[in-house]
Amino acid sequence: MFSHKDIKDLLGFTEIYSNPSSLLNSSLFVRLIVTYQGTYAIKIKDLTKLQHLNSIWSDKKKKKRFMTLLDLEYRRKTGDFSNPNGTAEDYQKIILKHINIKYDLGISLFKTIENNGEPVGCEELILVNGDTANSSIDKKPCDE
């Protein structure tokens, strides 16, 4: 699933983008990852919230905490990164909790819908009751 570097790179795309003839539309920027559990994307929903990541990155302790918290959650589901033993939903919950609850970064998570290995659509994954043991993932079609 997505790493802390992927999240920072998503913000970085907006900072290096330059088009003097139009305003920045941050929702155009996405970061993709292909896993054996599916193809995922993170997309900016609220750039102002994501820009808070710059203050985290500029503080050595906050940056280390940001990176360590995500890594620890993933490691709880993997013994090592080459042999994951969590379900797709486990990893979805981990990244959604990190970007939407712990840090409220204004990022959405999407997953492709496939038919015989071919993408036929996508859905936004939304964490419900994310701060409880009974958290679940709702799926909203991208075309809504």
Side-chain angles (χ1 to χ4, degrees), residues 19-79:
N19 184 351
S21 64
S22 69
L23 295 174
L24 175 67
N25 180 354
S26 61
S27 68
L28 297 175
F29 299 98
V30 297
R31 184 79 172 181
L32 296 171
I33 188 168
V34 179
T35 73
Y36 73 93
Q37 294 175 326
T39 301
Y40 294 90
I42 50 175
K43 181 177 176 183
I44 301 170
K45 185 171 29 178
D46 184 334
L47 181 58
T48 303
K49 287 182 177 184
L50 184 56
Q51 287 171 332
H52 176 66
L53 193 57
N54 285 327
S55 67
I56 293 170
W57 236 250
S58 66
D59 182 304
K60 197 176 198 179
K61 287 181 181 178
K62 288 179 182 178
K63 178 181 175 182
K64 183 172 176 76
R65 180 169 169 74
F66 180 87
M67 295 185 325
T68 302
L69 285 174
L70 185 57
D71 288 347
L72 285 173
E73 288 299 315
Y74 284 145
R75 286 187 192 275
R76 286 187 181 133
K77 292 293 174 194
T78 63

Side-chain angles (χ1 to χ4, degrees), residues 78-130:
T78 63
D80 63 65
F81 289 121
S82 63
N83 186 23
N85 56 19
T87 66
E89 188 170 290
D90 289 335
Y91 296 108
Q92 294 163 9
K93 287 179 183 179
I94 289 169
I95 191 67
L96 285 168
K97 284 180 184 180
H98 195 72
I99 62 177
N100 291 329
I101 294 176
K102 288 182 183 164
Y103 289 96
D104 190 21
L105 295 176
I107 299 173
S108 298
L109 177 65
F110 296 85
K111 183 177 188 307
T112 58
I113 301 169
E114 297 180 2
N115 184 6
N116 294 324
E118 295 293 321
V120 295
C122 71
E123 51 197 9
E124 182 179 1
L125 305 178
I126 302 162
L127 189 62
V128 179
N129 297 323

